[in-house]
Amino acid sequence: MPKKGFPLCWQDADAESDEPRVLQCNAREPNSHFSSNYIRTTNYTVLTFLPLNLIEQFKKMSNVFFLVNMVIALVPGVSPVFPATTILPLVIVVGVAAARDAYEDFGRYQSDRRANALQVQMVTPSGHVKAIESKDVHVGDVLYLERGAEVPADCLIVSSALEDGASFVETASLDGETNLKPKQSRDTLHRKFRTPDTIANFSGSITCDPPGPSMHKWLGKIACPEIPEQSVEMDNFLLRGCIVRNVDWVMAVTVYTGIDTRLFRNLIQKPPKTSRLDEKLNRLILMILAIQQSIMLVVAGLGLVFRDSEAGGAFYIKPFHDEASHGLQFVLSYLTFFILLSPMMPISLFVSLEFCKTAQAKLMDWDEEMVSKQGGTKARTSSLNEELSQVQYIFTDTVSYTHLRAHETPEHLVCRLLLEKKKKSTISDNYSQTNDTNIYVETSK
């Protein structure tokens, strides 16, 4: 059985081989050691959610503070309040954040399920075309890709419906470009394997580059009986995620699947995203903590002074003093005041932030003014909502300029006038600044 695929960010990059990949066409057994086409982009599983999410939660200074507060409250004879009153705030803060992370990760899980269940047409060794799920595609399989179909794996084109073997693909999901990219099959292969019946007898081997992140370079060769050895390159290669356009069908051999595809090789591990608001809150928490510690040290010290004073020996106070040493009494007083002064930390602020971020993400999803022809807006994370207000520059090009003229509104009119002013400006060849609006605009040369 092929290896189960996992996200690249969990892979050991040092384990990758520099040896060329050699695969057998139209055969699964010789290629069984390659990764399957199953993908998973979630951050957690059912088993790893609790430990991994707790690690992320306690990277926040506020959660560490409430954890320490809870531990101190559980020390016998120290806490002046019922321990549950210190446990509950930590459970609420961590629980709300964990629920938000679980909800967002469940959305990624559903997206993975849809991608893995994508229906793909495969040519069987008997010459029949049958539908299988994307996760069941293996290296060496021959795929029958119809017009509008999404390519489920990195493939080598064998033939197409056009007489010259040409085909076209849309790569908007890969590089954002909407213009179609031409692709071409090798002429010898295209003439020999034009139908599912003939490609069912397609046998041979493909030797090519090992899996890598390059989206613009690929080299290989194909050896097939009764056909001279053919060299192949990027013009003959289909990347996972592109869409077949302007051709009725394309038949291609699967070369890379799952985590070995170029798309997933570009998914590098990223550090946890932290907004500037979170960083500022951490600094404010440290300031509050420093002020709190100063107060606790002073009050605990004054408690020792009061104990040794004449007032501390009064008959109505002395029974509450034990015979502990000054050092132990100072520590116990310090811990007690740690609990008493814990309300200085604004716990309601953190809970409110978690609820607000989740609500803002849903409002973005429901905003009808953010819907395009391709579909609505999907907020994949709610951790950086406040960063949207920090946008300072908008870069545009001639395509955007043409779009402004075709769909001009009062806001677009301002942008168009700025662009026209740029052409007349002699301040700079690349940028212009209007003093009255303080907006920067870049146009293509």
Side-chain angles (χ1 to χ4, degrees):
M1 294 294 292
K3 296 183 291 184
K4 202 78 167 179
F6 293 97
L8 177 61
C9 59
W10 291 358
Q11 273 192 312
D12 183 5
D14 296 334
E16 297 180 10
S17 174
D18 293 332
E19 295 295 326
R21 166 166 291 202
V22 180
L23 60 100
Q24 300 299 315
C25 302
N26 213 12
R28 286 193 170 185
E29 187 61 30
N31 304 319
S32 60
H33 58 285
F34 295 120
S35 298
S36 75
N37 205 39
Y38 177 86
I39 63 169
R40 179 165 67 85
T41 60
T42 55
N43 296 327
Y44 312 103
T45 64
V46 175
L47 297 178
T48 62
F49 175 78
L50 187 60
L52 293 180
N53 189 259
L54 285 177
I55 292 174
E56 290 298 322
Q57 294 298 331
F58 286 104
K59 289 181 179 179
K60 299 179 180 179
M61 290 298 302
S62 58
N63 292 342
V64 174
F65 173 84
F66 293 124
L67 176 63
V68 173
N69 192 43
M70 182 192 72
V71 172
I72 295 176
L74 296 175
V75 177
V78 171
S79 176
V81 297
F82 189 63
T85 60
T86 60
I87 298 175
L88 190 61
L90 179 65
V91 172
I92 292 177
V93 173
V94 174
V96 170
R100 187 197 67 184
D101 292 341
Y103 176 78
E104 293 178 353
D105 210 53
F106 183 70
R108 287 187 283 267
Y109 166 74
Q110 291 180 314
S111 178
D112 291 343
R113 285 191 61 183
R114 289 191 294 269
N116 289 321
L118 180 69
Q119 293 296 302
V120 180
Q121 301 292 327
M122 170 190 169
V123 180
T124 64
S126 60
H128 296 91
V129 178
K130 72 172 185 177
I132 62 173
E133 293 185 344
S134 174
K135 65 181 180 180
D136 297 325
V137 173
H138 293 75
V139 172
D141 288 350
V142 177
L143 304 182
Y144 187 86
L145 305 172
E146 297 178 323
R147 184 195 299 263
E150 180 179 341
V151 180
D154 292 349
C155 304
L156 172 65
I157 301 176
V158 178
S159 61
S160 73
L162 299 181
E163 290 297 329
D164 58 354
S167 58
F168 301 88
V169 294
E170 178 186 312
T171 60
S173 61
L174 301 178
D175 53 19
E177 297 183 8
T178 56
N179 56 306
L180 301 183
K181 307 288 194 308
K183 296 292 181 178
Q184 182 71 46
S185 63
R186 299 296 297 181
D187 187 61
T188 306
L189 297 175
H190 174 67
R191 290 198 306 266
K192 186 173 180 62
F193 304 108
R194 291 296 308 275
T195 65
D197 291 332
T198 57
I199 205 170
N201 301 319
F202 181 41
S203 62
S205 64
I206 298 177
T207 304
C208 59
D209 295 336
S214 176
M215 307 287 282
H216 307 287
K217 182 181 179 182
W218 181 79
L219 295 174
K221 61 181 180 180
I222 179 169
C224 186
E226 302 178 359
I227 295 179
E229 187 175 275
Q230 303 284 316
S231 61
V232 287
E233 55 185 2
M234 198 65 197
D235 289 339
N236 317 120
F237 197 59
L238 296 178
L239 295 174
R240 179 190 178 112
C242 61
I243 309 295
V244 177
R245 300 292 187 193
N246 291 5
V247 62
D248 291 337
W249 55 263
V250 171
M251 288 191 288
V253 178
T254 305
V255 179
Y256 306 114
T257 54
I259 59 172
D260 291 337
T261 59
R262 300 300 171 97
L263 176 64
F264 277 85
R265 288 283 162 169
N266 280 276
L267 294 181
I268 60 175
Q269 187 174 8
K270 299 180 178 62
K273 297 178 179 178
T274 304
S275 66
R276 277 176 279 188
L277 178 60
D278 290 334
E279 295 175 355
K280 187 174 183 178
L281 282 177
N282 281 337
R283 291 194 298 268
L284 292 175
I285 290 171
L286 290 175
M287 292 174 57
I288 295 174
L289 190 60
I291 295 173
Q292 183 195 46
Q293 296 301 309
S294 302
I295 295 175
M296 287 189 298
L297 292 173
V298 171
V299 174
L302 292 176
L304 292 180
V305 174
F306 178 80
R307 176 187 177 182
D308 296 335
S309 66
E310 182 178 351
F315 72 93
Y316 56 86
I317 294 179
K318 192 171 184 179
F320 295 98
H321 289 164
D322 52 26
E323 299 300 326
S325 63
H326 284 68
L328 180 59
Q329 184 64 36
F330 179 84
V331 173
L332 293 176
S333 298
Y334 174 85
L335 296 179
T336 300
F337 283 111
F338 192 98
I339 302 297
L340 288 175
L341 297 177
S342 61
M344 292 180 64
M345 198 65 64
I347 184 173
S348 59
L349 172 63
F350 307 115
V351 178
S352 300
L353 280 176
E354 297 297 338
F355 277 113
C356 287
K357 288 183 177 182
T358 304
Q360 287 172 350
K362 296 306 297 181
L363 290 175
M364 294 178 194
D365 295 343
W366 298 335
D367 192 344
E368 296 181 355
E369 295 184 359
M370 299 180 70
V371 177
S372 64
K373 294 181 180 179
Q374 288 74 26
T377 301
K378 178 64 177 176
R380 299 187 180 276
T381 178
S382 59
S383 301
L384 305 173
N385 295 348
E386 59 273 13
E387 295 296 305
L388 294 176
S389 64
Q390 307 301 315
V391 176
Q392 295 178 336
Y393 303 97
I394 298 177
F395 295 93
T396 184
D397 55 16
T398 53
V399 176
S400 300
Y401 179 79
T402 304
H403 178 79
L404 289 176
R405 295 301 301 270
H407 306 82
E408 194 166 67
T409 64
E411 292 81 4
H412 292 159
L413 176 61
V414 174
C415 293
R416 181 167 66 84
L417 294 176
L418 288 171
L419 290 173
E420 291 177 352
K421 185 174 182 179
K422 163 67 182 75
K423 296 179 180 180
K424 301 176 181 179
S425 175
T426 57
I427 298 177
S428 172
D429 293 336
N430 296 321
Y431 297 92
S432 68
Q433 176 182 4
T434 57
N435 296 327
D436 53 339
T437 58
N438 197 27
I439 298 177
Y440 292 82
V441 179
E442 179 184 84
T443 58
S444 61
K445 293 183 179 180

